[in-house]
Amino acid sequence: MTAPDRPARPADFTNVHDFLHEVRRRPAMWVPGGSLQHLHSMLTGYRTALETHDITEPSPFWPSTGTEAPFTTWLHTRLDRNSSLTWATEIEREAEATGVPAMGLFFTFLDEYLAADQPGAG
């Protein structure tokens, strides 16, 4: 994690949650326009980099073999939906329906997920 007065650098992150903490602090810097689709793509790139370098890091955002990503499973249950859509799409749809910013709603759901001590939470 970085000091509050210093801009974050990816080299400072120890896991995906450090990265997301910085996104929460400075969403416009990391995800211009607040698109959860862009955040989803960034997390996919993060996972790809880990796999490329043979690094194992549990995360709620990517699936285990043959299963859906834990955060996606939790979100579908939370929203009482049976869907094949990604968490990013589901949250953007929910945000539009409720009139709240998608990025803020993502962090609200992520906080609920983490508080429930779900798989890959941390």
Side-chain angles (χ1 to χ4, degrees):
M1 211 131 348
T2 61
D5 58 337
R6 186 168 68 98
R9 297 174 306 164
D12 295 328
F13 306 149
T14 59
N15 59 41
V16 71
H17 296 288
D18 284 354
F19 168 68
L20 289 172
H21 174 76
E22 292 303 318
V23 171
R24 184 190 302 251
R25 287 178 59 202
R26 295 181 177 90
M29 181 179 103
W30 291 99
V31 188
S35 167
L36 293 183
Q37 299 302 322
H38 291 301
L39 181 59
H40 187 271
S41 294
M42 291 175 76
L43 292 173
T44 299
Y46 183 97
R47 178 183 181 200
T48 301
L50 290 174
E51 289 179 1
T52 298
H53 295 283
D54 200 26
I55 299 169
T56 302
E57 178 185 319
S59 171
F61 302 103
W62 36 86
S64 299
T65 305
T67 64
E68 189 174 60
F71 181 72
T72 303
T73 300
W74 175 88
L75 182 68
H76 289 155
T77 300
R78 167 69 172 74
L79 296 175
D80 195 25
R81 294 188 186 142
N82 184 11
S83 172
S84 61
L85 300 175
T86 67
W87 58 264
T89 301
E90 287 290 2
I91 294 172
E92 285 184 341
R93 286 180 172 195
E94 186 72 12
E96 185 176 336
T98 58
V100 299
M103 189 65 66
L105 188 56
F106 165 73
F107 283 111
T108 296
F109 285 142
L110 181 60
D111 289 344
E112 285 182 33
Y113 176 86
L114 295 173
D117 196 27
Q118 298 295 314

